[in-house]
């Protein structure tokens, strides 16, 4: 096993076949002592080229390290990364100056160090976050573990350390870097394609998969992250199943009700359960509330005992927790759905980093709940106190890269947010000023009605040293656009934040034409900005730039796949571009995000009608009725019935008549829920009487050897069509009643024409009814139509001329002739 594999996690088994210096490092995990060893100091002393003017010179010296010293060089890279993480994540201050640990940096001034960090780490990014300590350690680690990684091609776990270095860098950059992302893509692909057969313990690959999942999650690739977490879970021998059990949430609860829980199934795991000294861990503060219990009390006592997992299995659980949290909306139920994932890490801690992360995650979830917000504040304070103790460095590094542990300053920011929520704005302001979190400083001063103070503080820092980010923040505090232009000038027009801020200035004023090119320039410099993409897409829609809108919404949906509004707007862009097939597919995604939104179902119904996907039309209409109980779309219903009656081919080329039964059920449902709507009744009548025609035509084509059988068949068919014809006539009658029911219908020309048309249809169809029912129906129809004709004549006759509109006059006269014929038919029927 190589040194990179031996150093992957403290405490994992190693092979003794290492050089003495590296063996000492592996056993004691004392990275500062290792860097001070004579052999290491001699190696570093050889890197004293012209680093001041050109960091590439140092990179060249590192690349030319003799082969026999490559393991030592790799350990130097790992040590600098571990020290950087120890300082910024674990609260361990360095015991010695960086120049003593890395003599090659001793000749550099502060400006030279800044230039080195800017060249090696920032590149196309914005800047390193202000509270970051000793970024030169990370710069050295990146040059060794990433830039010169090819020299360690035979090292087994080099790809793991390269990914870790890039992940740490992505965390401390103010803006996401496209160049860094491209590097990480190559590292992940190399690692996933690598043969991990050398890993006899079977722990390295699941660890690498979890850290790959974290990378994907950072860059909004949720599906890829979930897939890798699932693979890691299988390798780690962990099976998770969402479940439920009866239990009590409060002290005075009398009846057990269903509570969400997670069933853990454990298989074979090569990792081992370790004993952790709880005295070194942050204290799990109990909830002291007079109503809520500290944790759910399950009816089944066995469920109160959480299963003990290994550290690697807990890392899988934490990754699953983060994936689920990203997928859920921000509401009161979210904490109930994800908190059970944290219980095993809180009850049976296996690593300091995982335990801290679980406590902080629980605090974030409880920060918005009145009964738990005080526990949340106390818990974050306790974690920060524990961080300052800084004991047992090696123990704290265990599984830190797969734990999703935030840096120290992020924990302090979380404390500041909690203080603001409890009204301690000044205390939060002190924290943000110390951390130089200027955006939060501006927010606090605005809440205190002292916004000018924020500008003064930022200006004071600018007087010490100008940076593009500080100029952008001054622009935020003063609303002065010249500050953003100054930031662009300093950065050589590559500062994505400055372009974004300029775009937002115009966006908030609805100056969409001006903001679009500014947002585009920002995204050209940093493409991982979901909010900026969303605003660009909306601006493009407002200006009817449908191609740009569709492109922007596509990019946004690749980051945030659970935003139904974005999918819905993307669908609108496709419709405007006359790409209805793509719009239909996009709406399927929108429904996945919000299954209970009737407007999305309505959009799907309309699009499916346009492209003749009648299955989806019927399904969407029924779903709308499930949600709203009532909904009418006469145009969609008319097209659907016409497709069935005329047996038109659908999108797949199949005959639409196969949907007859489902359409009939839909119309029946509509007529029951909305009996006063005339169109569903009329279409229901069309469908019933249309079936009669189909049946008769098909009947005439039937042939049979036995004449007796043929007569029976025809008789039953005739009875069936007769019954449906009667039902059809009754539907038409109810449609007529719905048309002439509202007061004042006779004064609307359009309604009068519809009544006349329906009356003519009624008189034609009733002739197909046989026997006594024909007389009953015909008499009822004659009375209704005679009354309707009189109402039309009264409502549509001009007071001045005494005449009706010409079109209506001709149709009324035609209706009267038909009525006279119907009267004669009634007379004949009565005469027998």
């Amino acid at each position: 096993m190589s040194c990179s594999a031996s150093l992957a996690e403290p405490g994992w088994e190693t092979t003794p076949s290492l050089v003495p210096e590296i063996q000492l490092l592996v056993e004691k995990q004392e990275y500062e002592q290792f860097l001070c060893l004579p052999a290491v100091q001699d190696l570093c002393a050889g890197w004293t080229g012209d680093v001041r003017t050109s960091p590439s010179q140092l990179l060249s010296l590192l690349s030319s390290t003799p082969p026999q010293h490559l393991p030592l060089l790799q350990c130097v890279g790992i040590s600098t990364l571990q020290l950087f993480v120890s300082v910024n994540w674990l609260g361990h201050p360095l015991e010695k100056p960086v120049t003593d640990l890395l003599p090659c940096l001793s000749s550099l001034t502060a400006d030279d160090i800044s230039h080195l960090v800017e060249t090696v780490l920032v590149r196309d990014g914005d800047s390193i976050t202000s509270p970051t300590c000793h970024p030169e350690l990370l710069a050295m680690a990146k040059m060794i573990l990433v830039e010169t990684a090819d020299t360690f091609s035979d090292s087994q776990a080099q790809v793991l350390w390269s990914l870790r270095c890039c992940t740490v860098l992505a965390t401390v950059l103010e803006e996401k870097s496209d160049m860094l992302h491209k590097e990480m893509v190559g590292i992940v692909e190399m690692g996933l394609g690598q043969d991990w057969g050398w890993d006899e313990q079977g722990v390295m690959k699941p660890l690498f998969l979890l850290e790959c999942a974290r990378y994907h999650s950072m860059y909004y690739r949720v599906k890829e992250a979930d897939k890798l977490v699932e693979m890691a879970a299988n390798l780690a021998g962990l099976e998770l199943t969402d479940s439920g059990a009866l239990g009590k949430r409060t002290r005075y609860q009398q009846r057990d009700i269903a509570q969400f829980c997670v069933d853990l199934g454990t298989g074979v795991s090569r990792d081992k359960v370790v004993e952790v000294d709880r005295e070194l861990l942050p204290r799990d503060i109990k909830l002291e509330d007079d109503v809520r219990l500290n944790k759910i009390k399950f009816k089944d006592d066995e469920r109160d005992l959480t299963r003990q997992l290994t550290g690697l299995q807990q890392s899988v659980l934490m990754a699953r927790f983060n994936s689920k949290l990203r997928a859920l909306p921000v509401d009161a139920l979210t904490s109930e759905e994800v908190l059970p994932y944290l219980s095993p890490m809180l009850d049976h801690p296996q690593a300091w980093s995982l335990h801290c992360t679980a406590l902080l995650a629980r605090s974030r979830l409880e920060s918005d709940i009145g009964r738990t917000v005080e526990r949340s504040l106390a818990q974050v304070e306790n974690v920060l106190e524990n961080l300052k103790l800084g004991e047992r460095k090696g123990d704290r590094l265990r599984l830190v890269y797969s734990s999703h542990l935030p840096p120290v300053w992020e924990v302090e920011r979380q404390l500041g947010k909690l203080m603001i929520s409890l009204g301690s704005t000044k205390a939060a302001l002190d924290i943000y000023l110390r951390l130089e979190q200027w955006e939060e400083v501006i927010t606090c001063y605005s809440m205190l009605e002292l916004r000018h103070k924020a500008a003064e503080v930022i200006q004071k820092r600018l007087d010490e040293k100008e940076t593009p980010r500080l100029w952008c923040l001054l622009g935020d505090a003063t609303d002065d656009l010249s500050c953003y232009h100054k930031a662009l000038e300093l950065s050589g027009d590559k500062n994505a934040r400055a372009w974004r801020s300029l775009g937002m200035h115009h966006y908030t004023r609805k100056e969409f034409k001006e903001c679009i090119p500014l947002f585009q320039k920002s995204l050209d410099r940093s493409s991982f900005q979901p909010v900026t993409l969303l605003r660009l897409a909306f601006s493009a829609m407002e200006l009817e730039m449908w191609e740009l809108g569709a492109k922007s919404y596509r990019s946004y949906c690749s980051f945030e796949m659970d935003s139904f509004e974005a999918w819905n707007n993307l669908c609108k862009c496709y419709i405007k571009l006359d790409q209805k097939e793509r719009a239909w597919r996009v709406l399927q995604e929108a429904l996945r995000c919000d299954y209970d939104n009737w407007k999305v179902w309505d959009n799907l119904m309309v699009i499916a009608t346009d492209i003749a996907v009648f299955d989806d039309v019927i399904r969407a209409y029924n779903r709308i009725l499930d949600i709203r109980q009532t909904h009418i779309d006469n145009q969609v219903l008319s097209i659907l019935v016409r497709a069935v009656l005329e047996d038109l081919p659908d999108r797949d080329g199949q005959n639409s008549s196969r949907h007859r039964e489902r359409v009939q059920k839909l119309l029946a449902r509509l007529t029951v829920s909305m009996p006063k709507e005339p169109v569903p009744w009329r279409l229901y009548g069309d469908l019933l009487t249309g079936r009669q025609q189909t049946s008769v035509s098909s009947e005439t084509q039937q042939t049979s050897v036995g004449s007796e059988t043929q007569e029976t068949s025809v008789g039953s068919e005739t009875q069936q069509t007769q019954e449906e014809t009667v039902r059809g006539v009754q539907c038409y009658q109810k449609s007529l009643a719905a048309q002439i029911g509202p007061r004042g219908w006779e004064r609307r020309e359009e309604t009068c024409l519809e009544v006349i048309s329906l009356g003519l249809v009624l008189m034609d169809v009733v002739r197909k009814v046989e026997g006594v029912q024909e007389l009953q129906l015909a008499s009822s129809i004659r009375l209704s139509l005679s009354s309707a004709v009189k109402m039309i004549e009264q409502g549509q006759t001009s007071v001045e001329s005494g005449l009706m509109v010409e079109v209506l006059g001709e149709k009324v006269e035609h209706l009267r002739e038909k009525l006279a014929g119907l009267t004669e038919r009634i007379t004949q029927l009565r005469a027998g």
Side-chain angles (χ1 to χ4, degrees), residues 631-814:
H631 182 76
I632 191 70
D633 192 320
N634 294 332
Q635 191 175 6
V636 168
L637 290 171
S638 300
I639 293 171
L640 191 58
V641 171
R642 175 172 170 263
V644 170
L645 289 175
E646 298 182 13
D647 202 12
L648 300 175
D650 63 10
R651 174 175 167 271
D652 298 325
Q654 298 185 9
N655 294 333
S656 298
S657 57
R658 62 195 175 94
H659 301 300
R660 179 187 295 274
E661 187 175 349
R662 292 177 64 198
V663 174
Q664 193 167 321
K665 287 180 180 178
L666 172 61
L667 290 170
R669 184 178 181 182
L670 283 167
T671 52
V672 169
S673 61
M674 294 177 288
K676 294 185 178 181
E677 285 291 338
V679 174
W681 282 115
R682 177 165 184 169
L683 293 174
Y684 200 1
D686 289 343
L687 200 60
L688 290 169
T689 54
R691 174 176 290 185
Q692 176 193 8
Q693 295 168 2
T694 305
S695 299
V696 171
S697 62
S698 62
E699 179 187 335
T700 58
Q701 296 171 7
Q702 290 179 355
T703 57
S704 176
V705 176
S707 59
E708 185 177 350
T709 307
Q710 184 178 6
E711 287 175 7
T712 305
S713 174
V714 171
S716 63
E717 198 69 28
T718 303
Q719 183 180 1
Q720 181 184 4
T721 55
Q722 174 69 13
E723 186 178 322
E724 290 185 348
T725 303
V726 172
R727 287 172 57 202
V729 171
Q730 291 170 344
C731 288
Y732 286 137
Q733 283 183 295
K734 290 177 180 178
S735 177
L736 179 63
Q739 287 277 19
I740 63 178
R743 182 176 297 178
W745 67 270
E746 70 277 4
R747 290 191 288 274
R748 294 191 295 272
E749 183 179 339
E750 183 180 353
T751 307
C752 292
L753 289 170
E754 289 174 0
V755 168
I756 294 169
S757 173
L758 184 56
L760 294 173
V761 170
L762 256 174
M763 287 186 286
D764 285 340
V765 175
V766 78
R767 297 267 182 145
K768 298 173 183 176
V769 180
E770 299 174 358
V772 180
Q773 286 179 314
E774 182 184 3
L775 177 59
Q776 293 172 346
L777 292 171
S779 300
S780 174
I781 291 168
R782 183 173 65 84
L783 287 173
S784 299
L785 289 178
S786 297
S787 172
V789 168
K790 290 179 181 177
M791 293 286 289
I792 292 172
E793 289 176 339
Q794 291 174 5
Q796 294 296 321
T797 301
S798 172
V799 177
E800 296 176 356
S801 63
L803 301 174
M804 292 178 62
V805 179
E806 185 177 350
V807 177
L808 269 176
E810 294 175 359
K811 290 188 177 295
V812 168
E813 189 60 35
H814 181 54

Side-chain angles (χ1 to χ4, degrees), residues 540-710:
M541 280 185 63
E542 289 294 303
L543 297 179
E544 299 185 0
M545 300 169 67
W546 306 116
E547 283 281 3
L548 178 60
K551 179 183 175 183
S552 302
Y553 275 122
R554 273 198 308 272
S555 299
Y556 177 80
C557 290
S558 69
F559 295 149
E560 301 289 347
M561 302 187 69
D562 294 325
S563 172
F564 87 91
E565 295 95 340
W567 287 113
N568 211 35
N569 288 341
L570 176 57
C571 168
K572 180 179 179 180
C573 292
Y574 282 145
I575 292 171
K576 294 295 185 180
L577 293 169
D578 199 25
Q579 298 177 12
K580 294 179 180 178
E581 184 88 14
R582 297 179 77 178
W584 170 66
R585 295 186 185 281
V586 161
L587 280 174
Q588 310 287 338
E589 291 294 328
L591 289 172
R592 181 184 59 79
C593 303
D594 194 351
Y595 195 75
D596 294 326
N597 191 312
W598 73 269
K599 293 180 180 179
V600 183
W601 282 105
D602 188 49
N603 290 341
L604 176 66
M605 181 179 70
V606 173
I607 295 298
T609 305
D610 279 349
I611 62 174
V613 185
F614 297 120
D615 274 320
D616 274 3
V617 176
I618 300 167
R619 180 170 68 97
Y621 214 130
N622 277 302
R623 181 60 189 155
I624 293 171
L625 293 177
D626 290 341
I627 298 169
R628 299 191 70 206
Q629 283 72 53
T630 58
H631 182 76
I632 191 70
D633 192 320
N634 294 332
Q635 191 175 6
V636 168
L637 290 171
S638 300
I639 293 171
L640 191 58
V641 171
R642 175 172 170 263
V644 170
L645 289 175
E646 298 182 13
D647 202 12
L648 300 175
D650 63 10
R651 174 175 167 271
D652 298 325
Q654 298 185 9
N655 294 333
S656 298
S657 57
R658 62 195 175 94
H659 301 300
R660 179 187 295 274
E661 187 175 349
R662 292 177 64 198
V663 174
Q664 193 167 321
K665 287 180 180 178
L666 172 61
L667 290 170
R669 184 178 181 182
L670 283 167
T671 52
V672 169
S673 61
M674 294 177 288
K676 294 185 178 181
E677 285 291 338
V679 174
W681 282 115
R682 177 165 184 169
L683 293 174
Y684 200 1
D686 289 343
L687 200 60
L688 290 169
T689 54
R691 174 176 290 185
Q692 176 193 8
Q693 295 168 2
T694 305
S695 299
V696 171
S697 62
S698 62
E699 179 187 335
T700 58
Q701 296 171 7
Q702 290 179 355
T703 57
S704 176
V705 176
S707 59
E708 185 177 350
T709 307
Q710 184 178 6

Side-chain angles (χ1 to χ4, degrees), residues 241-262:
T241 307
D242 292 347
S243 181
L246 294 175
K248 294 186 175 84
R249 166 72 65 183
T250 64
R251 300 181 188 276
Y252 306 107
Q253 191 172 329
Q254 299 296 318
R255 185 171 58 88
D256 291 302
I257 61 173
Q259 307 286 347
F260 179 79
C261 59
V262 178

Side-chain angles (χ1 to χ4, degrees), residues 238-245 259-265 296 298 302-307 309 316-317 320-321 324 335-344:
L238 181 65
E239 184 178 347
L240 304 172
T241 307
D242 292 347
S243 181
Q259 307 286 347
F260 179 79
C261 59
V262 178
D263 289 338
L264 301 175
I296 298 171
F298 289 105
E302 291 184 3
R303 284 201 173 271
D304 292 330
L305 304 174
T306 54
R307 181 171 296 185
L309 304 177
V316 172
L317 200 60
R320 183 69 65 86
F321 165 83
K324 195 171 182 69
S335 61
E336 304 295 330
E337 293 187 53
V338 296
L339 278 175
Y341 287 87
L342 301 178
S343 297

Side-chain angles (χ1 to χ4, degrees), residues 522-543:
S522 178
L523 289 164
D524 288 342
R525 286 147 182 81
S526 177
S527 59
F528 294 96
Q529 301 181 70
V531 176
T532 306
L533 275 169
L534 193 61
R535 287 164 177 163
L536 172 62
F538 179 78
S539 303
M541 280 185 63
E542 289 294 303
L543 297 179

Side-chain angles (χ1 to χ4, degrees), residues 234-302:
N234 293 333
L235 292 172
L238 181 65
E239 184 178 347
L240 304 172
T241 307
D242 292 347
S243 181
L246 294 175
K248 294 186 175 84
R249 166 72 65 183
T250 64
R251 300 181 188 276
Y252 306 107
Q253 191 172 329
Q254 299 296 318
R255 185 171 58 88
D256 291 302
I257 61 173
Q259 307 286 347
F260 179 79
C261 59
V262 178
D263 289 338
L264 301 175
T266 54
V268 179
S269 176
R270 303 285 185 87
D271 192 18
K272 296 178 181 178
V273 175
V274 298
E275 289 295 328
V276 177
D277 186 356
R278 284 184 173 269
E279 294 298 322
L280 300 176
L281 298 175
R283 183 165 56 92
D284 183 359
I285 295 177
K286 304 303 177 186
L287 180 64
E288 297 177 354
D289 186 66
D290 55 353
V291 176
R292 289 190 66 170
L293 293 169
N294 183 53
K295 58 191 297 187
I296 298 171
K297 176 64 179 173
F298 289 105
K299 186 177 182 180
D300 182 2
D301 292 338
E302 291 184 3

